[in-house]
Structures are given as structure tokens and as C-alpha cells.
Amino acid sequence: MDIVPLGPGFAAELRGVTLADIAADDAAYAAARAAFEQHSVLVFRGQTVTDEGQLAFSRRFGPPEVTKVGSLGTGTHFITLTTIGPDGKVVPPDHRFALRNRANQLWHTDSSFKSLPALTSVLSARIVPPHGGETEFVSTRLAFERIDAGLRRKLENSFAWHDYAHSRGQIAEGLASPEERAALAPQCWRMVWKNPVNGRSALYLASHAYAVEGMEPAEGKTLIDELMAAATAPGASYAHAWQAGDVVMWDNRATMHRGRPWPAHEARLMVRTTISATAADGLEGMRPPSQQAAE
Ligand code: OGA
Ligand code: MN
């Protein structure tokens, strides 16, 4: 297995190994897992991907999420991001599927709005447009390390509220349905996630974050916006230009990502599996002390 660095201080391509190798072989998994902890974004090119193969690979990293209400694939371990409607044609730009892709074009980390946040997301490209539609990543670990020591200490002991309806509301009023709102109560997480394997900390932020515990709403939102801007500063990102057969996985504890636009009439179909974080991934330290005591 070769590790080829791709981005500015994070992200790497793994060569000479397939998803099937990692699913089947403990040593291959251990090597991939070490690369994941270190590089935060892993790229695999030229994979022969089936849903079952993707799930078997993903399960190596932990328990798979069950897709929430209101998403394509609800109740399964798969989430489909597509612009292709049930009739096989590309949907118009104001269709729910297209709006959901636009919501993914805000900088975010997956599942911070869920009661169990995600360790990693595994995304495979099945149909890609000829131009555009990249997925762009930044390292919130490197962003944290760029912050001055005083603010770092403050953030380590601060907690932010995350709400799915907040990020969706930035795209279209009511994009989060009443059913989704009912299923997804706002969640409060520490603003810094410490990786227990290497001890490195990362900002835990997202378009879903809307308030900081103990701060005036406007003041908290300003802090979140400033940290988001610093984390996503020009030159800090790796943008993955997709080819069919590519698989990219990322560490939701240590990165943010966003989709990039592509021509509205072009089809794009991606399949994601998402692995929940566990205590071994540093999850326990993320809950506010009041919630830790209640457990
Ligand atoms: C995701 C996501 C962006 C994209 O799958 O979690 O945000 O480019 N995708 O499709
Ligand atoms: Mn996402």
C-alpha cells in the first residue's frame, strides 16, 4: 500500500489496495485505519464499487448509521445523493433533490446534528458530471493548530449547538420538513474534538452550528462564523475532482467539506455510507458535562 499526499497538510490517496482488501484483511485494515487517523481524508481511485462492498468496507471502521427520515435511502445503511428523478431524468433546479445538493454546498461535517455524530463518511461516485461537482475538504485539525493558545483553551471548554433545520434554512425556508425537525432535536457538542489515537485536537464546527452555550446568540454566531472563515481560508482546502469508481472517506471529527456546483442539467449520483463515532473515537469527551453526568 502506498500513501500519496494530496492536500495542504492533510488528505492522501491510498494506492495498491482495494476496498475489498481492507474489508477482508486485518493487516490491510490496520494500515488504512492508521492512514485515516493521520491524513483525515483518504482517496481510493478505480474501485469496482457495489453497495454491499462499500458497506462491508465501511463496517470495518465502526457501526453504520441508519439513514434518517426524509433522505433517499431512509431506513437503510445507504444515502443516495442524486439529481436523477424517479423517471430517470435530471430533476429541475428547484426540485428537493437539487436543493439538498445545494445544502451540501455549505461547509459542514456530517451528522453533527444527530444524537450520535459520525466518525467517518464513505462516498462513492457512481455517475459524475464531466465538469464541476467536486467535493472540497479542509482540515479543522490544522485550523485549530493555527489559532492562538488563549482562544484554543477557551474553545476546548466551549460547546456549540447544532441543528439540521438551521443549515437547511439557509437554502430554502422549510427545506427541513416537519417530520425531519421532529426526528432531529438540536444537539450540543464540545467545539474541539480530541483524537484519542494521536492526541491531536480539531475544531468541531459545521453549517449546522448556530449558537454557543453561555454566549449571547449574536456573539456566539459571530464566533462560529469567524472560526468557519478561518478554517476555510483560501489555500487550506483539497478539492476532489471525481471520476466514476472513486471512493473518498473523511474523518468528520477533523474536517469539514462541501460539494461544489455543476451544470444543473447534468446527472450526478453518489452513494454514501456513514459510520457512527464510539467511545474509542473520543465521543465521550464531546458531550457537555451536564449530559455526561446524566448518562
Ligand atoms: C456528503 C456531501 C457533497 C458532495 O456526501 O456528505 O456533503 O459533493 N457530499 O456530494
Ligand atoms: Mn456531507
Side-chain angles (χ1 to χ4, degrees):
M1 186 182 96
D2 289 324
I3 301 177
V4 182
L6 293 175
F10 73 105
E13 180 179 344
L14 296 195
R15 293 205 185 138
V17 67
T18 65
L19 299 199
D21 295 337
I22 293 167
D25 184 86
D26 289 347
Y29 167 68
R33 178 76 193 219
F36 168 79
E37 301 287 356
Q38 184 177 347
H39 298 283
S40 303
V41 176
L42 298 182
V43 171
F44 302 84
R45 295 235 184 227
Q47 303 294 305
T48 308
V49 188
T50 61
D51 286 356
E52 289 319 311
Q54 181 172 337
L55 183 59
F57 166 81
S58 303
R59 274 187 196 281
R60 273 290 192 168
F61 291 79
E65 275 188 10
V66 175
T67 301
K68 63 165 194 62
V69 292
S71 293
L72 266 181
T74 179
T76 74
H77 293 308
F78 303 95
I79 173 160
T80 301
L81 303 173
T82 186
T83 52
I84 307 170
D87 62 358
K89 296 200 182 107
V90 174
V91 298
D94 58 351
H95 188 277
R96 236 178 154 69
F97 289 5
L99 293 177
R100 295 204 165 231
N101 279 303
R102 274 185 44 212
N104 274 338
Q105 292 170 15
L106 303 170
W107 284 110
H108 66 281
T109 190
D110 293 330
S111 301
S112 68
F113 53 83
K114 294 185 179 165
S115 57
L116 204 46
L119 168 67
T120 180
S121 303
V122 178
L123 188 62
S124 66
R126 308 295 176 92
I127 301 173
V128 291
H131 303 287
E134 301 86 357
T135 306
E136 191 177 11
F137 298 89
V138 290
S139 167
T140 57
R141 178 187 289 170
L142 295 177
F144 184 70
E145 291 170 355
R146 291 195 296 266
I147 291 173
D148 70 75
L151 182 54
R152 281 207 304 264
R153 266 195 306 277
K154 175 183 158 172
L155 294 170
E156 279 168 347
N157 294 302
S158 297
F159 296 84
W161 286 92
H162 297 247
D163 187 3
Y164 179 77
H166 174 73
S167 54
R168 268 47 196 171
Q170 293 170 53
I171 300 300
E173 213 179 308
L175 185 55
S177 67
E179 197 187 18
E180 286 172 311
R181 283 165 194 264
L184 300 166
Q187 301 293 325
C188 189
W189 301 116
R190 192 180 296 275
M191 293 177 76
V192 176
W193 195 320
K194 186 168 179 181
N195 180 313
V197 173
N198 54 31
R200 291 176 76 183
S201 293
L203 284 172
Y204 194 59
L205 287 174
S207 58
H208 316 298
Y210 65 96
V212 177
E213 186 68 12
M215 284 176 89
E216 288 300 318
E219 199 193 345
K221 187 64 177 52
T222 301
L223 175 61
I224 290 169
D225 290 347
E226 286 173 0
L227 293 169
M228 294 284 286
T232 60
S237 76
Y238 164 68
H240 186 74
W242 292 95
Q243 293 169 351
D246 286 356
V247 176
V248 179
M249 74 183 298
W250 57 89
D251 187 340
N252 284 300
R253 301 169 299 175
T255 58
M256 286 194 291
H257 61 280
R258 64 173 178 178
R260 303 302 289 149
W262 67 93
H265 63 277
E266 299 277 8
R268 185 175 187 266
L269 194 158
M270 315 288 282
V271 176
R272 196 178 95 197
T273 38
T274 315
I275 298 302
S276 295
T278 64
D281 306 315
L283 174 62
E284 290 315 306
M286 293 302 291
R287 302 186 198 281
S290 59
Q291 288 185 26
Q292 286 173 13
E295 270 168 10

